[in-house]
Amino acid sequence: MTVECGSKGLKEIPSNIHPSTQTVFLQDNSINQVQMQHLSQLSRLQYLYIQNNSISALEPGAFQSQQHLIELALNGNCIPLLNNSMFKGLENLRVLYLASNHITRLLDYTFYDLQRLQELHLQENSIESMEEHALAGLSSLALLDLSKNNLQTISRAALRPLISLQVLRLTENPWRCDCALHWLRAWIKEEGQRLLSSLDRKLICSEPPRLSHQSLVDVSGNSLICIPPVVQVEPLAMTARLGDDLRVSCHASGYPQPLVTWRKVAHSRVGPPRVSMRPYGGGTFELSERSVGEQYDSDTGSGMLFLNNITMSHAGKYECEASNPGGTAKVLFHLMVNLSNQQSRSYPPLDISQEPLYDMESMEFNSLSMATQTTIAIGISLLALTALLLIAMIYSKHHKRKKTEKEENILYVNDYSDGPTTFAQLEEYRDERGHEMFVIDRNKPLFATYKDCQVQGIYPALPQLIDQLQDQATQTLAAAGQVAREDNDLFVNQGLLFQHQMAYEIHC
């Protein structure tokens, strides 16, 4: 019933194990792979321990015959990546040990066939990311250990399938405390109390630097911010010749660092060219044949669109998209292909001054159908009419504004300060998505009473300059008795800036 083959220097699973065996110990050997043929005869196996070997590959369906297996130990090996084909046939598995491997990420539906799994040990790996559906199917899971990995964030959706969870371990990960962890902070204080130990409740922030070494639950919710992405593509349009190679850079900034993807924009008028993208060097990508409009894996931060041997099918629009928990930004790049150098019967050589540009997204107006031309003409007419209406509305509002009292020109700003505000405190006035608020510091008037020694040193004549400006303003007002009321009001409003009791520093 039990076979003990631990520490025997074995390089593969022995083939002469009796078929009725229920427990096999193969720990501390040099086994480097598990294939279907190694275990196909052991259909009654219930416990299999292959920890501390050199396994780097699990053949898809390797455990297809182990439908009675209850416990599987694969910890302490060299497995870099998991997928759902590795665990086919393990419908009755209860405990799975995968700690201390080289796993870097968890893909969607990896454990989907393990419907009765109760313990999943993934600690001491190098897991950096976990896709949203990576834990799908684990409705019976009671213990999940993700401690001592490289996780910076985790989504609420990823843990949603774990309806039976009783123990969750998340400590010793380099958590990035931004807006994506708002839910985790609230969850730890509420539902997480029954699932986390006292140590697990104190998840320590590694980023950003201002929150480093602080506990997530102790950080203010207003400090968990994200900066939405900003994308820049240079250039936005380009003309290439047939057979050329092309590179287009897409730079994205934001916090956390955005994920950048390229895709070809689909259109309905011309048959869809098929494109795909694969890594090319560091942050560089190459398009080959694949379906249009599909998203592709990309490096974070920035990506380089790289096109080899330009053909007519490459012409069109490409979209660079950058996304992070703070939002998504997109920029279009337009590629046109010049056919003048195509040496064929269909495309004879043309004079350089008359080179046409092959653009899959545009056509000559005269070549369009009459219905299309009529539709375009009507659209232009409607736009012109809309513009005229807008001009009339703007003029009307401007005319009414001239008649209003000068008090209506006062700018009102919400004052959220409870006292002097320093630069370090400004981030506390951001909302969850990182938008800034305006804060007035009433203790720092801008003029006359401002005592900053550096400013006095740089502008020693500032008070005299202000007095001169006020004198000039008084003389100008006395001499311009016939000036229109609106001009006078405007000048008086500007004069308010020199009344120190009404001027304050506004921190943004």
Side-chain angles (χ1 to χ4, degrees):
M1 304 298 287
T2 301
V3 172
E4 169 60 67
C5 291
S7 303
K8 299 295 183 182
L10 300 175
K11 294 186 177 180
E12 61 179 26
I13 297 175
S15 58
N16 57 348
I17 299 177
H18 197 275
S20 64
T21 302
Q22 294 183 1
T23 303
V24 174
F25 291 93
L26 292 166
Q27 73 278 7
D28 301 309
N29 283 289
S30 301
I31 300 171
N32 56 26
Q33 60 180 342
V34 179
Q35 297 180 346
M36 188 184 303
Q37 62 186 17
H38 296 155
L39 302 171
S40 59
Q41 303 299 320
L42 304 177
S43 58
R44 299 185 183 180
L45 200 60
Q46 295 184 12
Y47 300 92
L48 178 58
Y49 301 97
I50 327 179
Q51 69 268 31
N52 300 325
N53 277 273
S54 304
I55 298 173
S56 59
L58 295 174
E59 183 183 12
F63 304 103
Q64 189 73 48
S65 303
Q66 280 63 58
Q67 297 181 2
H68 299 288
L69 196 65
I70 295 175
E71 192 166 319
L72 174 60
L74 290 167
N75 47 303
N77 282 285
C78 307
I79 302 172
L81 187 65
L82 303 174
N83 59 66
N84 58 357
S85 63
M86 295 178 177
F87 305 110
K88 292 288 185 182
L90 298 177
E91 291 86 358
N92 293 301
L93 192 68
R94 299 294 196 275
V95 183
L96 177 58
Y97 296 97
L98 288 167
S100 302
N101 276 278
H102 297 163
I103 303 169
T104 57
R105 58 177 179 159
L106 299 179
L107 305 178
D108 281 339
Y109 307 104
T110 296
F111 309 103
Y112 192 75
D113 294 316
L114 307 180
Q115 303 285 336
R116 298 186 180 180
L117 191 68
Q118 296 178 358
E119 294 184 21
L120 178 57
H121 297 265
L122 290 164
Q123 68 272 22
E124 299 183 49
N125 277 283
S126 302
I127 300 173
E128 297 178 352
S129 63
M130 184 166 60
E131 296 186 1
E132 191 169 298
H133 302 290
L135 303 176
L138 296 178
S139 57
S140 300
L141 195 68
L143 183 150
L144 174 61
D145 194 340
L146 289 168
S147 60
K148 299 182 181 179
N149 277 283
N150 292 328
L151 285 171
Q152 291 186 309
T153 191
I154 187 171
S155 70
R156 187 167 198 162
L159 299 181
R160 192 168 289 129
L162 310 181
I163 58 177
S164 302
L165 194 64
Q166 297 179 18
V167 177
L168 177 62
R169 295 170 183 163
L170 296 172
T171 54
E172 299 186 57
N173 280 285
W175 296 108
R176 184 182 63 232
C177 295
D178 56 26
C179 65
L181 288 186
H182 263 294
W183 77 269
L184 184 59
R185 176 177 174 272
W187 180 82
I188 291 174
K189 292 184 175 182
E190 298 172 4
E191 303 173 44
Q193 294 288 334
R194 62 181 180 85
L195 302 181
L196 302 172
S197 66
S198 57
L199 182 61
D200 284 292
R201 292 172 197 164
K202 296 182 179 180
L203 298 184
I204 304 302
C205 302
S206 293
E207 293 183 24
R210 60 188 173 82
L211 301 179
S212 180
H213 306 299
Q214 296 186 41
S215 173
L216 176 62
V217 294
D218 295 333
V219 171
S220 167
N222 291 332
S223 295
L224 300 178
I225 64 171
C226 295
I227 301 175
V230 175
V231 184
Q232 183 179 7
V233 173
E234 295 180 355
L236 290 175
M238 183 178 293
T239 302
R241 296 179 182 273
L242 292 174
D244 283 353
D245 295 336
L246 179 66
R247 294 186 181 186
V248 183
S249 62
C250 178
H251 300 282
S253 61
Y255 186 83
Q257 187 66 41
L259 175 69
V260 177
T261 55
W262 278 97
R263 72 181 183 93
K264 184 87 178 284
V265 178
H267 50 83
S268 58
R269 186 165 49 80
V270 182
R274 303 172 62 83
V275 297
S276 73
M277 188 175 297
R278 60 180 182 269
Y280 183 89
T284 303
F285 304 89
E286 180 180 354
L287 288 171
S288 58
E289 301 211 343
R290 225 166 135 183
S291 60
V292 97
E294 186 178 347
Q295 296 286 347
Y296 312 101
D297 292 335
S298 175
D299 190 12
T300 55
S302 64
M304 184 76 75
L305 179 65
F306 187 81
L307 301 174
N308 271 330
N309 191 20
I310 297 293
T311 65
M312 291 183 294
S313 64
H314 286 114
K317 293 182 179 179
Y318 297 80
E319 183 179 75
C320 176
E321 177 180 290
S323 60
N324 69 7
T328 300
K330 301 178 181 179
V331 174
L332 285 177
F333 166 73
H334 195 180
L335 175 63
M336 295 172 285
V337 178
N338 194 327
L339 301 183
S340 62
N341 289 342
Q342 177 70 7
Q343 303 294 330
S344 67
R345 295 180 181 179
S346 301
Y347 303 99
L350 299 176
D351 182 70
I352 292 179
S353 62
Q354 301 175 353
E355 290 179 348
L357 297 181
Y358 182 86
D359 183 358
M360 299 174 67
E361 302 276 348
S362 65
M363 296 179 64
E364 295 267 335
F365 182 82
N366 294 333
S367 65
L368 299 176
S369 65
M370 184 59 65
T372 304
Q373 293 184 21
T374 304
T375 302
I376 294 175
I378 293 174
I380 294 174
S381 301
L382 290 175
L383 286 174
L385 180 59
T386 303
L388 290 174
L389 291 175
L390 285 173
I391 292 173
M393 290 174 61
I394 293 172
Y395 177 79
S396 176
K397 289 185 177 181
H398 181 68
H399 184 68
K400 290 180 180 179
R401 188 179 302 166
K402 290 181 179 181
K403 295 181 179 180
T404 56
E405 295 295 331
K406 64 181 180 180
E407 286 79 5
E408 296 181 4
N409 294 326
I410 296 175
L411 174 66
Y412 293 93
V413 182
N414 288 335
D415 182 2
Y416 294 101
S417 66
D418 295 323
T421 301
T422 63
F423 180 78
Q425 293 171 320
L426 290 182
E427 59 195 13
E428 300 298 329
Y429 295 97
R430 296 173 182 263
D431 62 13
E432 294 182 0
R433 297 180 66 83
H435 299 299
E436 297 164 338
M437 297 183 182
F438 294 92
V439 181
I440 299 177
D441 187 344
R442 297 185 180 278
N443 294 323
K444 291 186 178 179
L446 286 179
F447 300 102
T449 61
Y450 193 71
K451 302 300 183 182
D452 190 330
C453 61
Q454 294 184 0
V455 175
Q456 292 289 344
I458 298 175
Y459 303 108
L462 181 58
Q464 295 83 347
L465 176 60
I466 294 173
D467 291 338
Q468 293 176 11
L469 290 174
Q470 290 178 329
D471 293 339
Q472 292 176 9
T474 304
Q475 295 172 8
T476 304
L477 287 173
Q482 303 301 322
V483 178
R485 178 189 176 107
E486 55 271 22
D487 296 335
N488 194 8
D489 288 344
L490 177 61
F491 191 89
V492 171
N493 289 334
Q494 292 174 346
L496 292 176
L497 294 176
F498 300 103
Q499 302 176 23
H500 65 83
Q501 66 272 22
M502 296 191 63
Y504 306 95
E505 287 191 5
I506 297 180
H507 296 265
C508 177

